[in-house]
Amino acid sequence: MLPFGGFKGSAISVLIDLIAGQLAGARSGPEIVPLYERLGEPQGIGQLFVALNIDAFDTLEAFTGRVDQTVRKIRLLPTAAGASSVVLPGELEHLRAQDHLAHGIPLPSDAVAEVARTATLLGLDAPRPG
């Protein structure tokens, strides 16, 4: 397990390993089987899903208002060197998904050629770019 963010990041890594791994009865840290190295053996990773009842803490409206305010503050932070804007986790993926919905998913030319070749082998019309 590699730490991030110094000692606090290391503590977060250990906490995640404990609650998402060991609490779930899964393997921990270096006990986890590498994804592509021993394909015949289960990885042994754990999962933890948490659902919070926001109303147990505050109203949904108050909470979403504070979240919106935090997002606005984050967007006002200085950008990283070479970056054009401050983005939040998942934002780039969301924008990419929106673009793919509007314009399709771009494929490398070799993938397009392979799909066309396979379609021909199966006696199907090759898909046309839309």
Side-chain angles (χ1 to χ4, degrees):
M1 180 169 24
L2 297 174
F4 67 96
F7 67 91
K8 288 184 180 181
S10 182
I12 291 171
S13 293
V14 169
L15 178 64
I16 290 170
D17 189 54
L18 292 174
I19 63 173
Q22 293 181 5
L23 181 63
R27 293 178 176 165
S28 173
E31 298 168 350
I32 296 172
V33 174
L35 182 59
Y36 298 109
E37 289 182 19
R38 298 193 312 254
L39 298 177
E41 186 178 349
Q43 258 193 300
I45 60 171
Q47 303 290 329
L48 175 71
F49 300 92
V50 178
L52 298 175
N53 178 1
I54 302 299
D55 289 324
F57 300 92
D58 203 346
T59 66
L60 180 60
E61 294 77 19
F63 175 67
T64 56
R66 289 192 302 274
V67 169
D68 289 344
Q69 182 180 21
T70 299
V71 168
R72 284 192 295 276
K73 287 179 181 178
I74 290 171
R75 292 203 185 283
L76 293 173
L77 292 171
T79 58
S84 61
S85 64
V86 175
V87 294
L88 294 160
E91 185 175 2
L92 295 176
E93 293 81 2
H94 174 72
L95 293 172
R96 188 176 307 115
Q98 295 300 312
D99 183 65
H100 290 172
L101 286 171
H103 304 105
I105 300 172
L107 293 175
S109 59
D110 58 332
V112 173
E114 183 61 24
V115 169
R117 187 186 72 76
T118 303
T120 301
L121 288 173
L122 296 173
L124 302 171
D125 292 331
R128 292 182 209 110

